[in-house]
C-alpha cells in the first residue's frame, strides 16, 4: 500500500513533521470543535427555555384579560345602576350603550331565556341565536363565563356593521405558508363574556359583552411590552407578539417594510401543522414574515373546544446568531495565533536537519521547469548528502551539453517549418477576410430588402385607414364636427405610423427619404396630450388649469415631445390619487443657451423627499412600485437633451412637484 502513496508522503521529512504537528493541527481542533458544538447546543436550549417563559407570561396575561372581562360583566350585572337602568322604560339600550363605552367593550346586550335581545344600541340586525354560545348558555344557567370565540361575518354584521369592517383583514401572500384561495379574513376573534342577571320583571337573563381582538393593537402591544421589557433582550434583538385567527395575523407588532404592521400575513405551513392541526406547542426557531425568530406558538381554543387560532411570542434570532459566530471566530483566531507561534519553531528544527536535501530538491525542480543551468553548488561539509550533491552537479553538466546540441538541430528545423507556415497563414487570412465581407454583404442586402418590404406592407393599411376616414367625414357631413377632435387624433396617430415607416424606409433606402423635426407650438401638443390622458385625470377627479403665454415655435419631433409631456402628466396624476390641481404653463424664456420656450407641469400631490428627487432621472428608479418601470423620466430627459433642451424638477414632500422642460426656438 505504501508504494501507491505519492513520494512526498513517503519521505522521512513529511513523516517527522506529521508526528510533531499532529497534536497541534488535528487533535486540538477536534477538541475545540466538540466543545463549541456542545456549547452551541446549550445556548439553543437556553433560548428555547426563555421563549417558553415568554409564552407563559403572554398566556397568563391573555387568561387574566379574559377573566377580567367576565368580572367586569358580572360586576355590572350585580350593580344597582344596572337594575335602575333596566327598570326605566325605553332607556335600557341607552344605559347599556353608556356602560359599554365605559367598560371598553365593542358590544353589550342582554338576552333572555326566550331569546329576546336588548342591545346597547341599534344594530343592523340581530339575526343570530345568542343562546347558542356556550358562555351565554352558562350565564342563563347562573354561571359567569368568559372565553375566546370567533364570530363570522354575518354575526358581526348583526352586532354592528362598523365592527364587521374593523374585523376585516386582507390576506397577504406569505412565504412558506400553506397555499390558500382566501383573499380576506372577515371573521372576528372576540373576548366573549357573559354573566347571569335578573331583569326588573324577575326574569332570568344573561348580560353578554365582547371585545374584538382583530386589529386590537393596544392589546398586542401591551403583551409585547409586558413580555419584552427594556433590556430583556440583547442589543439589536427585537421581541414580537402576534394573535392569529386560524393561520392569519389579525393583531401583531411584527413589521413589514417601512414600519407597516404585518396584518394579514400567514404562519408557515410547518408551524400550522404542529399547532393548529395537532394542537401542540411550538418551541423552536421559525421564519416569521421576513426573518428568523426564536418562536413560541400555542393553540387558542374557543368555548366550543375547537382550535381557532394561535398566540405567538418570539424574538429576533440574528443578534444571538451573530454573538455565537463572533465567539467561534474569536476561538478560531486564538487557536490560529497559537499555531502561528508554535509551528514555525517545529519547522526551524526540521529545516536544520533537511536543509541539504531541500537544496537538492529545489535544484531538480528548477531543472524540470527548464533552468538547465541550475546547480547545487558547494554546501560545505563532507557528509554523504554533500557527496551526492556534487555528483548530481556533474550529471547536470552533461545533460545541459546534450540539450544544447538538440536545441541547435531543432532550431534549424523550426526555421524551415515557420517559413512554410507563414505563407499558409497569409493565404488563409486573405480567404477569411474575403468570406466575412461576402457574408456581411449578403446579410445587409437581406435586411434592407426585408425592411423595405415590411414598411411598404404597413403603408397599405395606413392608406386604407386614411381613405376610410375621409369617406367617414364626407358621409357624416355637418355631423362630422361633433367628432372632429377624435378624427384629428386618428389623423395624428396615422401620421405617427407614417413617420415610423418613413424611418424604416430611410434605413432601407436612405437616398429616397429624409426625415426632419417639425416646427411646433407647444400649446397645440399639450392639448393633444390632455385628450390622450383625459380618462386618467377624470377618474382621479383632477382639475386641470392652463396658462399658455408662449408665442414662439420649437423645432422637435412631435411624437417625441408628446411622449415627454404624456409621461409628466401621468406621473402628476399618479401623485394625486385623491384628486388635486394639475397646472400646465408655457412661456417664452431666454437662457444662457439662447432663446427658447419653457413647458411647466405642476401638481398638488404628495411631492418627493430630497433623497428621492436626486434619483428620479436614474434608469429603472421608480417610486410607484409595480405600476412603473422606472424608465419614463430617464427616456424623457434623453429626448429633450437630444433636441437641445433640458429638464428641471422641483419638489417638496407634501407640497407637490414642478417639472420644467426647456426647448430652444426652432428656425425654419
Amino acid at each position: 500500500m505504501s508504494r501507491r502513496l505519492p513520494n512526498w508522503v513517503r519521505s522521512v521529512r513529511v513523516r517527522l513533521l506529521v508526528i510533531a504537528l499532529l497534536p497541534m493541527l488535528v487533535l486540538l481542533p477536534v477538541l475545540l470543535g466538540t466543545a463549541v458544538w456542545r456549547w452551541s447546543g446549550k445556548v439553543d436550549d437556553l433560548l428555547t427555555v426563555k421563549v417558553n417563559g415568554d409564552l407563559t407570561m403572554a398566556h397568563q396575561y391573555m387568561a387574566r384579560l379574559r377573566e377580567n372581562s367576565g368580572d367586569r360583566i358580572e360586576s355590572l350585572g350585580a350593580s344597582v345602576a344596572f337594575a335602575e337602568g333596566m327598570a326605566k322604560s325605553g332607556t335600557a339600550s341607552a344605559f347599556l350603550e353608556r356602560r359599554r363605552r365605559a367598560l371598553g367593550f365593542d358590544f353589550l346586550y342582554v338576552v333572555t331565556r326566550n331569546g329576546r335581545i336588548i342591545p346597547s344600541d341599534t344594530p343592523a340586525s340581530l339575526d343570530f341565536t345568542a343562546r347558542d354560545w356556550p358562555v351565554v348558555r352558562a350565564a342563563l344557567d347562573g354561571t359567569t363565563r368568559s372565553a375566546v370565540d370567533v364570530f363570522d361575518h354575518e354575526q358581526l354584521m348583526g352586532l354592528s356593521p362598523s365592527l364587521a369592517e374593523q374585523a376585516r383583514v386582507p390576506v397577504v401572500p406569505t412565504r412558506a405558508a400553506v397555499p390558500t384561495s382566501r383573499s380576506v379574513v372577515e371573521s372576528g376573534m372576540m373576548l366573549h363574556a357573559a354573566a347571569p342577571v335578573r331583569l326588573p320583571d324577575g326574569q332570568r337573563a344573561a348580560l353578554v359583552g365582547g371585545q374584538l381582538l382583530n386589529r386590537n393593537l393596544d392589546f398586542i402591544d401591551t403583551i409585547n411590552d409586558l413580555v419584552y421589557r427594556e433590556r430583556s433582550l440583547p442589543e439589536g434583538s427585537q421581541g414580537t407578539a402576534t394573535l392569529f385567527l386560524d393561520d392569519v395575523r389579525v393583531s401583531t407588532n411584527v413589521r413589514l417594510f417601512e414600519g407597516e404592521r404585518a396584518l394579514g400575513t400567514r404562519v408557515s405551513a410547518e408551524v400550522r401543522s404542529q399547532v393548529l392541526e395537532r394542537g401542540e406547542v411550538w418551541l423552536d426557531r421559525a421564519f416569521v414574515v421576513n426573518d428568523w425568530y426564536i418562536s413560541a406558538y400555542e393553540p387558542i381554543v374557543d368555548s366550543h373546544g375547537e382550535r381557532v387560532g394561535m398566540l405567538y411570542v418570539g424574538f429576533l434570532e440574528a443578534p444571538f446568531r451573530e454573538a455565537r459566530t463572533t465567539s467561534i471566530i474569536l476561538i478560531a483566531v486564538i487557536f490560529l495565533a497559537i499555531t502561528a507561534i508554535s509551528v514555525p519553531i517545529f519547522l526551524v528544527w526540521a529545516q536544520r536537519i533537511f536543509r541539504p536535501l531541500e537544496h537538492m530538491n529545489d535544484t531538480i525542480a528548477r531543472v524540470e521547469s527548464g533552468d538547465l543551468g541550475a546547480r547545487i553548488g558547494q554546501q560545505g561539509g563532507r557528509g554523504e548528502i554533500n557527496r551526492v550533491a556534487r555528483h548530481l552537479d556533474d550529471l547536470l553538466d552533461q545533460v545541459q551539453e546534450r540539450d544544447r546540441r538538440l536545441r541547435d538541430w531543432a532550431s534549424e528545423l523550426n526555421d524551415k517549418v515557420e517559413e512554410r507556415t507563414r505563407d499558409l497563414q497569409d493565404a488563409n487570412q486573405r480567404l477569411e477576410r474575403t468570406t466575412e465581407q461576402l457574408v456581411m454583404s449578403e446579410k445587409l442586402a437581406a435586411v434592407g430588402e426585408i425592411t423595405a418590404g415590411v414598411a411598404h406592407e404597413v403603408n397599405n393599411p395606413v392608406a386604407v385607414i386614411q381613405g376610410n376616414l375621409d369617406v367617414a367625414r364626407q358621409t357624416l357631413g355637418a355631423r362630422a364636427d361633433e367628432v372632429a377632435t377624435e378624427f384629428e387624433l386618428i389623423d395624428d396617430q396615422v401620421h405617427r405610423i407614417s413617420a415610423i415607416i418613413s424611418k424604416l424606409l430611410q434605413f432601407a433606402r436612405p437616398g429616397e427619404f429624409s426625415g426632419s423635426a417639425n416646427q411646433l407650438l407647444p400649446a397645440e401638443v399639450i392639448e393633444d396630450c390632455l385628450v390622450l390622458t383625459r380618462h386618467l385625470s377624470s377618474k382621479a377627479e383632477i382639475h386641470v388649469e392652463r396658462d399658455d403665454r408662449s408665442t414662439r415655435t420649437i423645432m422637435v419631433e412631435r411624437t417625441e415631445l408628446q411622449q415627454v409631456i404624456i409621461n409628466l402628466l401621468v406621473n402628476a396624476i399618479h401623485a394625486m390619487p385623491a384628486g388635486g390641481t394639475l397646472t400646465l404653463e408655457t412661456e417664452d424664456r431666454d437662457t444662457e443657451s439662447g432663446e427658447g420656450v419653457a413647458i411647466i407641469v405642476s401638481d398638488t400631490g404628495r411631492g418627493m423627499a430630497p433623497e428621492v428627487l436626486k434619483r428620479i432621472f436614474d434608469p429603472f428608479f421608480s417610486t410607484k412600485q409595480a405600476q412603473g418601470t422606472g424608465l419614463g423620466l430617464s427616456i424623457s430627459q434623453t429626448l429633450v437633451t437630444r433636441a437641445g433642451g433640458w429638464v428641471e424638477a422641483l419638489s417638496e414632500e407634501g407640497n407637490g412637484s414642478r417639472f420644467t422642460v426647456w426647448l430652444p426656438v426652432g428656425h425654419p
Side-chain angles (χ1 to χ4, degrees):
M1 179 176 178
S2 60
R3 294 180 179 178
R4 299 178 182 177
L5 297 176
N7 292 331
W8 63 271
V9 175
R10 298 199 302 268
S11 67
V12 177
R13 176 188 180 192
V14 171
R15 293 177 183 180
L16 290 177
L17 289 177
V18 168
I19 293 173
L21 300 178
L22 181 64
M24 174 66 66
L25 300 181
V26 179
L27 298 182
L28 185 57
V30 170
L31 293 176
L32 288 176
T34 303
V36 169
W37 175 72
R38 289 182 57 83
W39 166 76
S40 178
K42 294 295 183 182
V43 171
D44 291 339
D45 293 340
L46 290 175
L47 293 178
T48 301
V49 171
K50 172 174 172 51
V51 78
N52 187 31
D54 297 340
L55 180 62
T56 301
M57 293 177 61
H59 173 84
Q60 292 175 349
Y61 173 78
M62 190 167 181
R64 179 56 189 159
L65 192 64
R66 187 175 62 248
E67 294 171 0
N68 187 41
S69 299
D71 294 342
R72 287 183 293 167
I73 289 289
E74 186 176 21
S75 298
L76 174 61
S79 65
V80 176
F82 177 79
E84 293 176 352
M86 298 301 293
K88 294 180 181 180
S89 176
T91 62
S93 293
F95 168 75
L96 291 175
E97 177 64 17
R98 291 194 301 271
R99 299 311 302 167
R100 180 191 70 80
R101 295 180 179 178
L103 294 175
F105 287 111
D106 290 316
F107 68 85
L108 187 68
Y109 64 85
V110 174
V111 57
T112 64
R113 282 183 172 274
N114 59 12
R116 186 171 66 91
I117 294 177
I118 304 174
S120 60
D121 54 5
T122 305
S125 65
L126 285 172
D127 55 357
F128 67 93
T129 305
R131 292 175 299 173
D132 290 344
W133 294 108
V135 294
V136 177
R137 290 200 303 268
L140 291 174
D141 292 338
T143 303
T144 299
R145 186 177 174 186
S146 60
V148 174
D149 281 321
V150 175
F151 285 53
D152 60 28
H153 180 68
E154 289 73 14
Q155 292 168 339
L156 292 174
M157 288 295 293
L159 291 171
S160 170
S162 61
L163 204 60
E165 180 60 27
Q166 179 183 345
R168 192 175 186 272
V169 177
V171 176
V172 178
T174 309
R175 171 184 169 187
V178 175
T180 181
S181 59
R182 291 182 300 172
S183 61
V184 65
V185 171
E186 296 184 321
S187 300
M189 183 173 283
M190 291 282 186
L191 280 176
H192 197 194
V197 295
R198 287 278 185 179
L199 297 181
D201 58 2
Q203 186 179 5
R204 293 179 65 180
L207 178 61
V208 186
Q211 184 177 5
L212 181 63
L213 297 181
N214 292 35
R215 298 183 180 273
N216 193 330
L217 304 183
D218 292 336
F219 158 77
I220 206 66
D221 288 343
T222 301
I223 290 181
N224 191 74
D225 294 340
L226 177 66
V227 175
Y228 299 108
R229 302 179 62 185
E230 187 176 0
R231 296 184 179 179
S232 64
L233 293 171
E235 183 178 358
S237 188
Q238 177 183 0
T240 55
T242 298
L243 187 68
F244 288 87
L245 176 54
D246 191 27
D247 64 347
V248 179
R249 290 178 175 84
V250 295
S251 184
T252 183
N253 68 338
V254 177
R255 307 286 177 171
L256 290 171
F257 304 106
E258 300 180 356
E260 180 183 356
R261 295 185 185 243
L263 294 175
T265 56
R266 302 170 60 220
V267 77
S268 65
E270 187 178 8
V271 175
R272 173 189 170 88
S273 174
Q274 179 171 327
V275 180
L276 279 181
E277 297 177 6
R278 299 199 298 269
E280 301 172 359
V281 175
W282 174 282
L283 296 173
D284 202 347
R285 66 194 296 266
F287 190 80
V288 179
V289 180
N290 54 16
D291 211 335
W292 287 95
Y293 285 72
I294 305 299
S295 306
Y297 295 82
E298 70 171 12
I300 296 176
V301 181
D302 65 1
S303 59
H304 296 282
E306 301 290 336
R307 292 188 289 271
V308 296
M310 294 179 289
L311 179 63
Y312 154 83
V313 292
F315 47 86
L316 198 61
E317 182 193 29
F320 297 94
R321 185 172 62 249
E322 292 172 359
R324 179 186 306 169
T325 303
T326 302
S327 300
I328 294 174
I329 292 175
L330 180 60
I331 293 173
V333 169
I334 294 174
F335 167 74
L336 292 176
I338 296 174
T339 303
I341 294 173
S342 58
V343 169
I345 297 175
F346 296 129
L347 295 179
V348 168
W349 289 344
Q351 187 176 13
R352 290 177 180 178
I353 298 173
F354 298 106
R355 184 175 298 168
L357 292 176
E358 290 175 353
H359 284 298
M360 294 174 64
N361 185 63
D362 292 341
T363 301
I364 293 174
R366 290 166 58 190
V367 171
E368 290 176 348
S369 64
D371 184 8
L372 297 180
R375 298 293 183 271
I376 300 171
Q378 297 296 326
Q379 297 293 325
R382 299 180 179 178
E384 293 83 354
I385 297 178
N386 289 314
R387 288 200 299 270
V388 171
R390 289 193 292 271
H391 183 61
L392 180 61
D393 283 346
D394 293 338
L395 293 177
L396 291 176
D397 290 339
Q398 297 176 20
V399 171
Q400 185 178 18
E401 176 63 22
R402 293 180 181 178
D403 181 75
R404 183 186 62 79
R405 295 176 182 175
L406 290 174
R407 288 181 182 274
D408 291 341
W409 296 338
S411 177
E412 294 177 4
L413 181 60
N414 286 336
D415 290 341
K416 295 180 179 180
V417 172
E418 287 179 359
E419 183 178 356
R420 301 296 185 272
T421 303
R422 193 178 302 112
D423 296 338
L424 291 175
Q425 288 178 343
D426 292 341
N428 186 50
Q429 289 177 357
R430 290 194 297 271
L431 179 60
E432 288 179 353
R433 287 195 296 269
T434 303
T435 303
E436 290 176 358
Q437 292 174 358
L438 289 174
V439 172
M440 183 59 66
S441 298
E442 290 294 330
K443 186 181 295 184
L444 292 176
V447 169
E449 184 177 351
I450 292 172
T451 303
V454 171
H456 282 298
E457 287 297 327
V458 174
N459 256 332
N460 293 333
V462 169
V464 171
I465 293 172
Q466 186 65 60
N468 286 322
L469 188 63
D470 294 336
V471 172
R473 284 196 182 97
Q474 295 175 2
T475 303
L476 292 175
R479 294 185 60 189
D481 295 337
E482 300 176 5
V483 290
T485 302
E486 286 73 11
F487 280 158
E488 291 176 0
L489 287 177
I490 296 174
D491 286 336
D492 289 341
Q493 297 308 312
V494 171
H495 173 73
R496 182 178 179 183
I497 295 173
S498 298
I500 295 173
I501 295 171
S502 176
K503 292 180 180 180
L504 286 174
L505 292 176
Q506 183 180 4
F507 171 75
R509 298 172 185 154
E512 298 179 15
F513 297 89
S514 61
S516 62
N518 302 315
Q519 288 205 18
L520 305 174
L521 286 172
E524 295 178 356
V525 180
I526 291 174
E527 183 64 30
D528 293 343
C529 295
L530 286 175
V531 172
L532 294 174
T533 59
R534 185 172 300 159
H535 67 289
L536 294 177
S537 60
S538 60
K539 184 185 300 183
E541 297 183 359
I542 293 175
H543 175 65
V544 180
E545 294 184 355
R546 295 282 304 276
D547 184 8
D548 296 316
R549 302 187 301 275
S550 172
T551 60
R552 299 171 176 173
T553 59
I554 55 178
M555 182 72 73
V556 67
E557 282 285 349
R558 185 184 190 90
T559 55
E560 293 182 355
L561 182 58
Q562 282 181 331
Q563 182 175 354
V564 173
I565 296 175
I566 288 176
N567 182 64
L568 295 179
L569 293 178
V570 171
N571 286 347
I573 292 171
H574 286 169
M576 299 182 289
T581 301
L582 174 62
T583 305
L584 295 101
E585 307 171 62
T586 61
E587 64 179 17
D588 297 335
R589 181 182 297 183
D590 296 337
T591 65
E592 296 178 355
S593 302
E595 298 179 348
V597 175
I599 302 172
I600 304 165
V601 180
S602 307
D603 64 72
T604 58
R606 49 180 173 258
M608 292 177 283
E611 60 271 14
V612 175
L613 184 62
K614 291 189 298 185
R615 299 185 57 195
I616 59 174
F617 292 108
D618 294 345
F620 303 107
F621 176 77
S622 175
T623 61
K624 295 184 286 187
Q625 303 301 327
Q627 295 182 4
T629 63
L631 292 173
L633 288 177
S634 174
I635 293 174
S636 298
Q637 186 183 49
T638 301
L639 295 176
V640 173
T641 303
R642 190 169 66 190
W646 46 261
V647 182
E648 178 185 62
L650 299 175
S651 182
E652 183 178 350
E653 194 167 11
N655 292 325
S657 304
R658 178 185 178 93
F659 284 83
T660 302
V661 177
W662 185 88
L663 292 167
V665 169
H667 298 287

